[in-house]
Each structure stands twice: as structure tokens, then as C-alpha cells.
Amino acid sequence: MPRDAGGAEALLQEIFGFETFRPGQGEIVEAVAAGENVLAIMPTGGGKSLCFQLPALIREGVTVVISPLIALMRDQVRGLREAGVAAGALTSGNTPEETDAVWDMLHSGALKLLYLAPERLANAGTQRMLAQAGVSLIAVDEAHCVSQWGHDFRPDYLRIGELRRALGVPLAAFTATADEETREEMVTRLFDGVVPTTFLRGFDRPNIHLAFQPKDGPRAQILSFAAARRGQSGIVYCGTRAKTEGIARALREEGHSACHYHGGMEADDRRHVEERFATEDGLIVVATVAFGMGVDKPDIRWVAHADLPKSIESYYQEIGRAGRDGAPAETLTLYGAEDIRLRRSQIDEGLAPPERRAADHGRLNALLGLAEAQGCRRKALLAYFGEAAGNCGNCDLCDAPPELFDGTEAVRKALSAALRTDESFGMGHLIDILLGNETDKVLSRGHDKLPTFGVGKDLKKGQWQAVFRQMMGHDLMRPDSERHGALVMTDRALPILRGEQEIALRRDAMTNATERRPAVKALVSEEHAPMFSALKALRTSLAKEARLPPYMIFNDKTLIEMAERRPATLDDMARINGVGAKKLEGYGRAFLEVLNGSAEEMHPRRRKLAASGTGAVYDALLEAQAALVRGADGTEKPLSCTAAMLAKLAERPPVDREDLDRVLGDRRAERFGAAFHEVLREAAQG
């Protein structure tokens, strides 16, 4: 195994089956492999794990990976072992046999990656064990968990900095979402305040289609979205446990394979759902955010939110579960005025200090701004993370730009209704005042005598609901938890109320909401769809036989490339992204049979050369040998080289003719030396 950074690209092809790094990966791998302290902030699905797995193979000794969830660790370990890498995890979920095997590899020096949960660092024996194990690197996955500002704070992550100091080894920290406060705290906690080599990679996930819809019968909206994507793996995030169970049941009644997941379930039941999602194609999990960081399934084709997420960071990370393989994926986020009221009250009623509550309101504002965006959603999303971008062409507002209208007068009427009732009432009562509805509540309080009574009859009730929702989305009004959710005006609304500023709103009539559902993005063209289905069927069969998740055989993107490029030989197959040496050896011929109806018969030594790119040299040597088996004139006694000898020449060509003759020996050098030397010379030049 190469031990220098120069071998990184060779290992990338041989082990992971990729010809090139994704943008930004190469320099991170180089820095980590060189032993620098590194902080890398990369988008979910941007290939973070490879940025510490590959350096672990380059560096001497063991790399310890601190990861937050057992399911995530076990998933990565299985994937690495399937690729031929010595990896293991010490977790509470291990069987005694699994733990013994990890210890055996650790003691023998064979183990390259050891996964641990941060809670294990609380055990005094863990640090002693690591000090004796020859640890050369610490990698921290989901590193934002170290921060009080991060949205998944884990106190045991605070011990990682102490471990780095005790072992005296470099540390590489990775996360997908980290604003400025979180980054500063990660530097303090993990690197003692000394800023490490920092990589802030683009947050864009261009393969993911972004879409929002106002709520208009949310269960029916989710069912409609899932129906158009039948047979594809998806996640539906819900705000309550009861809703996960109800929507999962409704999906099953519609003929989908679906199950629910939430924190109130027994641990065994949760593990069963995790296992099903990992191993079944086309399963939909309806979940609370408890189903989050442990999901490492690369071929999730869609994510829907039945309720508004709590912040823009949460939204970004949750939609990032889709399309991790780089193939097209879709999202849909539903939201309404009640979502906004709930999220505001959760912040206001929390125990966080005032500055934290203000920051949380800011994060929610950013998400509401995205929901009520009037132009490209991706442009707005990336702007929050400090990136400039043009219109993406892959969101609902690029697909069908919204019709805008001057909403200044409507907003002033709504603000006036709230102010004239001492900001003591919610949206429903204010709309009754604007529409001139003589309800008992309106009459008993004398609100039918207000100047604003009946001034809003130009709009219907549903349209006023859309106006109020957009006002809350623009943070012009907030529900006040101390007044039972009454809407109060914010400072942002003052310039509009005074006539100093105008505001444009979207015509989001609720009756038209479902018409904005984006068209399904086809994974492959109609021409290649039958072959893609056949390859998926084979993958499922092989996965069941091996008791592996299907994507650990090959992910969707690899199968798409096979269906489109139709490799005819193992050499062709080796050039498909995601087909490494071990997978080529294990699965190559089976997939070629589906692609071509048959597969070439080939010596096992020759099959192993396909992934390294030296198979063609082996073939040329074999052809040269075949012409000389009975000598140049065809009358001599048959003579040949072993497959192992030809493979050795192809993989490690002798430096000159003299060296070649020594490898071949006198008899074979006399028969084949000149011809082999010419083959190897042409290969070196070509």
C-alpha cells in the first residue's frame, strides 16, 4: 500500500473506484495526509468521509474516527470492508465476536481505521488503549456537535481536544453546516484556539431540486408527491411523532412501502427501521429529526418536510440526505402560519440566554425568507452561507417564476388591524375584522366599530391567510407566546406602516399550491431505463445474498453510468466511476452478463489487472507470447510464461532489456525477450 500523498490518486481508483477527486477533495486529502491540523466544512454529500478514509490508508498506523451515531459508524465500516479496507468499530452495538475481531486487528497492526463514539472517550481505559495502538491521526465527523451553537450539541465531543493533546497527533475535523459562531467554537474546543488549515467548500448541491409549498391539506400534498415518485427511496420529516405514524399509515394504504421512526419507539424497533432503510430499495421512512445523522444511504431520491424545519441549517442538513451519489434528487417543504407560530414560540419559551434566542430567530428568519423567496431559491440559500450565485434553473421558482403584486396596501391594513386591537389577537380574528365578519368575538369586543372593520373585502379569506403568512415570513409580525400567540409588529414593519417603504408579495392562492409541484426528474433517459431497472434487480439479488445494503454493491450513479455507457469488457467496467478493484473482481462479470448477455472468460490474475489500468499491457504480452509459443518459425517445443509472470511484467515493468531477461530467465528471454521488450516500450510511451 502506498504511504505517500503521491499514491492518493492510485488508491482513489484502486480502492474506491473513482478516477478523479470531486472538486475540493484533493487538496483536503493532501493536507490531512501530510499531518496538518485541518478543519473542513463541506456540503452534505460532498465526499467528507473519503477525505479522512484515504489519508488513513496513506499514513502509517491507525486513524481514529470519532463519529456521533452507531448506525453511521457501522455503515461506513461495512462499506470500507466491502472495498477491501481493514476497518472496525468499537460500539455498544457490537457482538462479542465483532469486538474480538477489532481487537485482534488492532493488536496485529492490520487495522487502518477505528471508529468510536465520543461517549467512549469518557472511559479512562480508552485513552490508554489508543496511546498503545499507534494512532497517527484523529478524524472528527459531524464536528459541529462540539459547539453550543451547533444544532446537535454532544457534550462528550468536548473530550476530543484533550485526546488530541494527550496523543500528540494531528486532528482533522469535518462538518457540513457551521456558521461563524460554530466555526469559532470548533477552533477553540478542538484546536486550542490555534486556527488549523481551513477549507470552506461550496455549499451548493446542484443535483438537488428545491421546492416549497404553502400547506393546503399537507397529508394529501405528501401523498401526491410520493405517488409521482413511486418505487424511489425517500424520507418524510414531520414535526410530531403522531404525524409520522399517520402519514406512514396513509402511504402504506396507497401501496407504498413505508414505515415510521421517532424517538418514542423502542431501540430495537428503531434499529429495525434503520436496517430496512439501508437494505430495501424504494422504502419511505416517515420520521422526526431523530432520523438524521445516522443516514448514510447515497441513493435517497427525495426528501419532503411535512412541517417547517426549525432553522435554515436544519433544513440544509435534512435535504442533504437526498442525492448523496450525485444523481438527481428532489425536495419539497410544506409550511404555514401555524408552523411559523410554533417555531417562534419554541424559541421564545426555551431556556437559552437572550443572545442565543436572538440568533435562533435569525436562523428561522433565514429559512422563512427562503420559503417566501421571490426569485431563485438556491441563490437565496447560498447567500445565507456567504456564497454568490446566479439563478440555478433547478428549483420551483426557476421552473415557474411567481407572479408578484404590490402588497403594501394589504400589509398596512393588516398592521393597522393588529395595532388597533392592541396587538392582542391572532390571525383568524384579525382576518374577521378585515373582512367585516360580525362574529361573536368581534361584536363582543366592539371591533366592528374600528376604522379597519371591513376594509379588506377586496381579498378572500384564503388570500388574507397568504398575506399574513408572508408577513410572518418577512418577519414583519411575530406571534407573542406571552399573549397566547397574538401577532405583534416588529421594527421591520415600521417603514412600511409609515409609508417610507413598499413591499411586493406573491400571489400564493392556496387553491393553486398543488399546481406548483415540480415534475419528476428522471434518473435515466427512456432509452436506458429498462437496462437501469435490470441492473438494479441484479444489485438487489446480490445484496440479499451478501446481506449488504444494495448501495454497497454499487450506488445508483454507478448503475446509471453502466446503463448509459454499456461497458463490454472488464477493462471497460473498471473505468466506470465507483467500480474499484475488489468490486470489479467480485461483481464485474455478473453485471457484464446483464449488460451484454455474456461475460468474457478471463484468468483471475487478468481480472485483477483491469482496475489498475494494466490489463491492456497484459493482453499485449499474452498476444506476443501466443505468436512465439512454438518459436518464430512454429516448429520448436512449446514454451510459455505463467499468468503470474505476465501480470508481474504488466504491473511492474523491468527498467531495461537486461532487467527483463533476468525476470524471464535464459530460455524464456531467448524466446520472448525482444517481443516483450517492444510491448513494454510501446506501453511506456503510450
Side-chain angles (χ1 to χ4, degrees):
M1 187 82 60
R3 299 294 181 191
D4 56 74
E9 290 197 0
L11 286 172
L12 182 70
Q13 167 66 39
E14 179 185 345
I15 303 297
F16 299 99
F18 300 115
E19 293 186 2
T20 57
F21 287 110
R22 294 185 191 180
Q25 278 184 324
E27 52 189 332
I28 297 174
V29 167
E30 184 177 349
V32 176
E36 298 177 30
N37 286 322
V38 168
L39 172 60
I41 298 157
M42 306 169 69
T44 299
K48 295 190 300 296
S49 58
L50 186 138
C51 290
F52 57 79
Q53 291 170 351
L54 191 51
L57 302 182
I58 293 170
R59 294 177 63 81
E60 298 288 348
V62 181
T63 290
V64 172
V65 183
I66 309 297
S67 187
L69 289 178
I70 290 175
L72 183 63
M73 289 189 276
R74 293 176 72 87
D75 208 45
Q76 290 200 8
V77 167
R78 281 197 293 183
L80 285 165
R81 288 181 175 174
E82 187 65 17
V85 175
L90 292 175
T91 77
S92 58
N94 281 20
T95 64
E97 293 77 17
E98 287 173 332
T99 297
D100 289 345
V102 173
W103 281 110
D104 288 345
M105 285 193 291
L106 199 58
H107 290 145
S108 69
L111 194 69
K112 293 303 297 177
L113 290 110
L114 174 63
Y115 283 75
L116 299 174
E119 285 73 16
R120 198 174 183 95
L121 300 181
N123 186 328
T126 299
Q127 189 166 306
R128 290 196 301 272
M129 175 269 288
L130 295 177
Q132 298 166 2
V135 174
S136 65
L137 172 68
I138 300 171
V140 184
D141 203 4
E142 308 290 358
H144 63 269
C145 294
V146 78
S147 171
Q148 296 278 2
W149 293 94
H151 56 278
D152 293 295
F153 176 60
R154 296 279 285 270
D156 288 289
Y157 266 71
L158 302 179
R159 295 188 173 92
I160 298 173
E162 177 188 339
L163 178 66
R164 179 186 65 82
R165 291 190 292 273
L167 296 180
V169 299
L171 184 145
F174 299 85
T175 184
T177 53
D179 56 20
E180 188 173 348
E181 296 98 330
T182 305
R183 291 200 294 270
E184 289 175 359
E185 193 166 357
M186 285 192 292
V187 170
T188 300
R189 303 280 195 186
L190 297 175
F191 302 100
D192 296 330
V194 179
V195 179
T197 303
T198 301
F199 299 91
L200 184 57
R201 289 294 162 241
F203 288 91
D204 193 12
R205 294 285 304 284
N207 62 309
I208 298 180
H209 186 278
L210 307 179
F212 281 71
Q213 282 181 13
K215 286 186 176 179
D216 181 20
R219 180 174 296 193
Q221 287 171 284
I222 294 294
L223 291 175
S224 174
F225 191 77
R229 291 148 186 85
R230 189 172 294 276
Q232 296 181 6
S233 296
I235 301 174
V236 180
Y237 284 114
C238 299
T240 66
R241 296 173 179 180
K243 189 175 286 189
T244 67
E245 297 178 12
I247 291 181
R249 185 165 52 250
L251 284 165
R252 288 193 296 272
E253 289 170 356
E254 293 287 322
H256 297 277
S257 178
C259 54
H260 67 272
Y261 183 106
H262 57 67
M265 296 166 60
E266 295 293 331
D268 286 346
D269 293 335
R270 292 200 305 271
R271 279 194 291 271
H272 178 64
V273 172
E274 290 166 357
E275 183 67 22
R276 282 191 64 191
F277 194 58
T279 55
E280 289 184 30
D281 272 337
L283 182 67
I284 300 170
V285 173
V286 187
T288 60
V289 292
F291 191 71
M293 288 193 299
V295 181
D296 198 31
K297 184 180 172 71
D299 53 357
I300 298 169
R301 297 271 63 91
W302 58 269
V303 169
H305 283 89
D307 299 296
L308 188 72
K310 67 179 182 180
S311 70
I312 197 163
E313 285 88 356
S314 296
Y315 166 77
Y316 177 79
Q317 189 156 49
E318 288 154 17
I319 65 167
R321 305 298 165 200
R324 293 167 69 100
D325 56 4
E330 297 174 86
T331 67
L332 173 66
T333 302
L334 304 180
Y335 67 104
E338 182 60 24
D339 287 304
I340 300 171
R341 187 203 64 75
L342 174 64
R343 293 304 186 193
R344 292 285 188 209
S345 65
Q346 286 175 335
I347 295 170
D348 290 332
E349 294 170 9
L351 301 177
E355 67 273 13
R356 175 62 186 268
R357 289 202 298 272
D360 286 344
H361 275 301
R363 291 180 170 93
L364 179 58
N365 283 347
L367 180 59
L368 296 174
L370 183 63
E372 297 293 358
Q374 298 177 354
C376 173
R377 292 201 196 276
R378 183 170 272 99
K379 189 174 181 179
L381 178 62
L382 294 178
Y384 175 80
F385 291 111
E387 291 185 31
N391 291 348
C392 71
N394 196 30
C395 71
D396 57 339
L397 298 183
C398 283
D399 295 341
E403 181 186 353
L404 304 180
F405 72 100
D406 184 353
T408 308
E409 183 181 353
V411 168
R412 285 179 187 157
K413 289 177 180 178
L415 292 172
S416 178
L419 290 171
R420 291 181 182 277
T421 54
D422 297 321
E423 299 177 294
S424 299
F425 297 91
M427 180 176 66
H429 185 67
L430 296 177
I431 291 175
D432 281 334
I433 293 171
L434 290 165
L435 291 175
N437 293 334
E438 295 181 343
T439 66
D440 290 344
K441 189 173 180 180
V442 168
L443 295 174
S444 66
R445 287 166 173 79
H447 291 164
D448 57 324
K449 306 295 192 297
L450 294 174
T452 48
F453 183 75
V455 299
K457 291 183 178 180
D458 55 323
L459 298 178
K460 297 177 181 178
K461 180 179 179 180
Q463 292 172 315
W464 273 117
Q465 289 173 333
V467 169
F468 274 96
R469 193 196 66 246
Q470 291 184 71
M471 289 174 65
M472 287 189 275
H474 289 290
D475 201 23
L476 304 180
M477 303 188 84
R478 287 187 184 181
D480 186 343
S481 58
E482 294 183 2
R483 300 190 188 189
H484 307 288
L487 291 178
V488 299
M489 187 176 71
T490 69
D491 289 344
R492 289 190 180 193
L494 287 173
I496 300 172
L497 189 66
R498 294 171 184 152
E500 300 166 358
Q501 187 176 309
E502 296 182 344
I503 184 169
L505 299 179
R506 288 167 44 187
R507 294 192 187 279
D508 284 308
M510 294 297 195
T511 53
N512 295 328
T514 53
E515 295 176 9
R516 300 186 66 83
R517 177 174 56 81
V520 180
K521 307 292 180 182
L523 291 178
V524 293
S525 67
E526 189 175 342
E527 174 190 359
H528 299 303
M531 178 58 73
F532 179 58
S533 296
L535 294 173
K536 284 185 72 175
L538 172 61
R539 180 180 67 177
T540 299
S541 174
L542 292 172
K544 286 181 179 177
E545 185 179 331
R547 295 185 177 180
L548 288 171
Y551 62 83
M552 284 189 183
I553 305 294
F554 293 122
N555 65 32
D556 278 1
K557 194 171 184 183
T558 297
L559 296 190
I560 290 167
E561 193 173 336
M562 286 184 195
E564 292 175 345
R565 290 176 54 179
R566 304 293 173 101
T569 67
L570 284 173
D571 287 338
D572 295 339
M573 181 73 80
R575 287 187 279 272
I576 299 291
N577 275 303
V579 182
K582 186 176 180 186
K583 290 188 178 182
L584 184 73
E585 176 76 11
Y587 309 120
R589 295 188 77 252
F591 280 87
L592 282 176
E593 287 178 2
V594 171
L595 288 159
N596 305 301
S598 62
E600 56 191 331
E601 288 296 331
M602 187 177 285
H603 192 282
R605 288 274 184 178
R606 170 59 178 82
R607 287 204 296 271
K608 289 181 179 179
L609 295 176
S612 66
T614 55
V617 181
Y618 178 97
D619 293 342
L621 291 171
L622 198 64
E623 186 177 343
Q625 175 180 266
L628 295 170
V629 167
R630 288 185 173 274
D633 59 5
T635 61
E636 298 182 41
K637 184 177 179 181
L639 181 66
S640 63
C641 302
T642 64
M645 182 178 288
L646 293 179
K648 181 180 178 182
L649 292 175
E651 286 182 298
R652 295 182 293 278
V655 295
D656 52 30
R657 174 65 191 274
E658 185 178 342
D659 191 21
L660 172 64
D661 288 351
R662 276 197 298 272
V663 173
L664 292 173
D666 292 344
R667 289 176 59 230
R668 290 182 175 82
E670 183 178 349
R671 177 78 59 91
F672 305 117
F676 283 6
H677 181 66
E678 182 63 19
V679 168
L680 296 172
R681 185 185 65 79
E682 289 180 0
Q685 292 176 346

